[in-house]
Amino acid sequence: MSSDSMKPPIISLSVPRTSEQLELEPISPQSLVSKFWSDYHSQAPRKVISVLPPILYESLADSELPSPTPKALSYEEAAQQCRSDVWAIIKECERTNNKFSDPEFDIEKDFASYDHNCLFGIERACDDDDEEQCAKPRSVHRIPWIFENPEFVANDFISDIKQGTCGNCWWLAALASVRLRKQLMEKICVARDEDCGVYGFVFYRDGGWISTVVDDNLYLTEEDFDQDVYDGTGKRARLYKKQKQTGSEALFFSKCGGANETWVPLLEKAFAKIHGDYAALDYGWAGTAVEDLTGGVTTVIQGDRVLRKERLWRELLGSGEGDFLFSLSTGSQGNKYRNGLILRHDYSILHAVQIEDELGNTVSLVKIRNPWGEKSPSGHGEWGGAWSDGSEEWTPFMMKKLRHKFRDDGTFWMSFHDMLENFRWIYRTRLFDKRWTATQRWMSVGVPWLGGYLKKRFIVEVQQEGMVVLVLSQLDDRYFQDLKGQYEFILHFTVRSLGSKTPICQAHPVHQLHRRSVNCEVMLAPGTYEVIPEIIAERDEQSMPVEKVVRMAARTNPEKLRQVGKQYDLAHAKAGAVKVKKPSNGAESLMDGMSAFSEAKARSVLDASGTRPGTDTESETDSDSELECSTRSSKEQPWNAVCIIGLRVLAQNAGTSITISGEP
């Protein structure tokens, strides 16, 4: 027998490892990456869909409850609502023998109280006390006080438009294009009574028409005459008013070229009102403004990428009475100016002509307008090349043929070729008449960090062959800018026959900043098609989450939060997300309008009665602590991107229907 066989067996004892030993064990890189994404990427993305949840309406009449599924009004319905509102106001003015003062946008009261909620949003971009940093109007007066012989409109809206202090060149450039068609302007300016001081307007928003009314108070640049100055006869006060507070030039914001016309400042005021304040009109794109004024659909064209220039030129030639309106943007490539043009600035296309000069040469010319209505003090704002004012191309023959005069009025001519070379973006807005039918559908989608085409998509039934315009939009957050949150979305989509893998149309933004919508114009045969969205989300960690803004504004500026919050809720109700049934339990109702993060926090803070467990009231210290906890750095919060998107289908001489398919 060998000695090895006599050795006792070796017994292995398994000793449990301590937690410290486990922590020291290396974790694979893949496990670390997987854990990061598991923690960072929310499995069930949620967002604030109701800034003013049902609990706030508990003691109010049923008529105050917002509609759970707001109906998109047709133009006829919105216009009729506008007329009815104006007529009701006129009747009340006659009963009380008082001119109309708009309680929803009372700039006179807002100015006197120094609240400035009609001027600025929840977040103020400047210090109200710093006059140099934050230019503000110095007085408010009614139209009969400002104008000697006021007239709402003269010469069928053809008067010049001049930009004021607001940075809304994009909107005024659009207005200058739209105003050339009287029938379009009459659809916007629906009803008025100049004696009562009430004006009704209709605009397009998120797939439907809305109406609003304003009074005739306007902001002025100069303050009122100093009452401390001795003026026994009143002569000095009258002279001061005549020189500084009379006529269009006295207005702080936009104005008409005519000294006594009022349609531009009143229309601008109405547009500011529906967006909450004048600051909401700063910065934008002329193409989106034409959509807001007409209900059309804008395609963005990059000037140096036009494939068939002759096709674009034919559309431009018909822009006077045809299916399209055009506007332009110089873009931002450069410093401040290029060949006399202002960069980062929008212009209007007024007219396009193809004519022969005295030598028989055919010339393609475009008439363009700067919304400033004049050159800048440095002499910039108008084109300085061929066909500019004073250039050699303007022979007496051509001056007479085009009835052109050299004037500093913001209007100039340039060749079609030079227009394509010097304007970065061309906005081509298709207009729709009664030959077109429209259908739309909205839905809420979670947007993954990775991006890509979504499982959730729209199914479109086309009943008859014809031209179809498909528009994929997100909510217009200009109506609630301070509550837009941390996420920005870039939309794309592809269209294909149901069951096919071959795209019929693919829509992408031409410029990443043109984000409100993308569209596709295509001829479709009868059949079933799927529109598959692709959404890219970007997160701005410097922006405040919606829940933080609400918590802050509820204390610091509740009046403004009520106004903006209603606009936010109205928009988000389109996806059917907002529940407005009167609550039976405060805490439960509060959950309906919260993000997943806020909901979890609320459950830990509130008991069934809506108060903190064990307390009757919330102390200031506790509240501040909660605010700090609820607004931790977004780096500690998971990816939680949710986008409300809508598909609008316009078909020429053909009916369509839309359903939603796919997993959320």
Side-chain angles (χ1 to χ4, degrees), residues 78-209:
Q80 183 55 47
Q81 180 65 55
C82 185
R83 295 186 191 98
S84 297
D85 291 343
V86 170
W87 292 337
I89 289 170
I90 294 170
K91 185 176 180 180
E92 181 65 8
C93 289
E94 293 290 353
R95 185 188 70 80
T96 61
N97 198 26
N98 278 301
K99 291 175 70 72
F100 173 58
S101 290
D102 183 5
E104 297 177 354
F105 202 67
D106 191 341
I107 69 171
E108 183 179 26
K109 177 183 176 182
D110 189 62
F111 177 82
S113 65
Y114 299 99
D115 288 334
H116 301 313
N117 282 330
C118 295
L119 291 174
F120 306 114
I122 294 174
E123 297 184 44
R124 304 294 163 93
C126 56
D127 185 355
D128 284 353
D129 297 327
D130 189 340
E131 291 293 337
E132 293 184 2
Q133 179 191 17
C134 188
K136 295 191 294 292
R138 306 296 296 277
S139 58
V140 173
H141 287 286
R142 289 188 175 272
I143 281 177
W145 192 94
I146 302 169
F147 297 90
E148 294 179 336
N149 297 294
E151 186 176 13
F152 180 71
V153 63
N155 301 320
D156 295 335
F157 301 98
I158 301 301
S159 63
D160 282 341
I161 298 171
K162 291 187 176 181
Q163 186 176 354
T165 305
C166 186
N168 60 344
C169 69
W170 60 282
W171 184 76
L172 292 169
L175 183 61
S177 296
V178 173
R179 70 178 173 128
L180 298 178
R181 301 198 188 187
K182 182 181 178 181
Q183 71 275 20
L184 291 180
M185 291 303 303
E186 289 177 342
K187 289 183 67 174
I188 300 169
C189 309
V190 173
R192 65 182 182 271
D193 187 295
E194 295 171 62
D195 291 335
C196 294
V198 56
Y199 299 81
F201 302 92
V202 172
F203 301 102
Y204 191 80
R205 173 190 178 183
D206 288 338
W209 292 89

Side-chain angles (χ1 to χ4, degrees), residues 318-516:
S319 61
E321 293 294 334
D323 295 332
F324 303 101
L325 288 175
F326 288 87
S327 46
L328 302 163
S329 176
T330 50
S332 58
Q333 293 184 335
N335 189 9
K336 293 183 178 180
Y337 316 108
R338 182 173 59 241
N339 297 327
L341 300 173
I342 307 295
L343 298 182
R344 303 174 185 85
H345 192 57
D346 285 4
Y347 289 76
S348 314
I349 290 183
L350 304 181
H351 193 40
V353 296
Q354 188 164 304
I355 60 174
E356 289 187 356
D357 62 16
E358 58 263 54
L359 300 177
N361 299 317
T362 300
V363 185
S364 300
L365 297 176
V366 184
K367 189 177 184 180
I368 299 172
R369 187 179 186 280
N370 180 354
W372 289 354
E374 59 188 0
K375 292 181 181 178
S376 68
S378 62
H380 295 91
E382 296 184 16
W383 166 244
W387 296 102
S388 62
D389 282 0
S391 67
E392 62 182 6
E393 288 79 12
W394 285 111
T395 63
F397 175 85
M398 294 301 291
M399 293 278 289
K400 182 177 180 180
K401 194 165 187 177
L402 287 174
R403 300 178 181 178
H404 183 59
K405 295 181 180 180
F406 298 156
R407 289 182 293 191
D408 182 16
D409 58 358
T411 302
F412 56 90
W413 290 84
M414 64 193 306
S415 71
F416 175 57
H417 172 79
D418 284 336
M419 184 197 81
L420 295 179
E421 289 288 324
N422 287 274
F423 284 95
R424 180 72 169 169
W425 311 112
I426 303 167
Y427 303 108
R428 166 190 173 273
T429 305
R430 179 183 284 276
L431 305 176
F432 300 97
D433 55 25
K434 293 183 178 180
R435 296 173 298 168
W436 294 79
T437 60
T439 312
Q440 69 174 343
R441 188 75 181 269
W442 291 83
M443 66 180 179
S444 174
V445 293
V447 182
W449 180 91
L450 192 61
Y453 288 106
L454 303 178
K455 292 181 178 179
K456 205 170 183 181
R457 71 272 315 269
F458 298 96
I459 305 299
V460 178
E461 294 280 351
V462 177
Q463 300 170 4
Q464 184 177 339
E465 183 175 6
M467 171 65 74
V468 176
V469 181
L470 302 109
V471 188
L472 184 68
S473 306
Q474 55 183 311
L475 295 175
D476 186 355
D477 57 25
R478 189 180 294 275
Y479 286 85
F480 47 88
Q481 282 185 330
D482 294 326
L483 296 174
K484 64 188 297 184
Q486 294 184 312
Y487 294 92
E488 295 273 2
F489 301 99
I490 304 172
L491 306 182
H492 311 253
F493 70 86
T494 188
V495 182
R496 62 191 187 191
S497 295
L498 190 63
S500 171
K501 299 295 184 181
T502 305
I504 298 173
C505 172
Q506 293 180 306
H508 307 281
V510 176
H511 190 293
Q512 295 300 307
L513 294 179
H514 297 102
R515 297 184 172 186
R516 192 169 78 176

Side-chain angles (χ1 to χ4, degrees), residues 235-250:
K235 181 178 179 180
R236 298 174 70 177
R238 289 191 295 272
L239 180 61
Y240 178 91
K241 177 180 179 295
K242 176 72 174 177
Q243 293 177 339
K244 296 181 177 293
Q245 294 181 300
T246 298
S248 292
E249 292 301 321

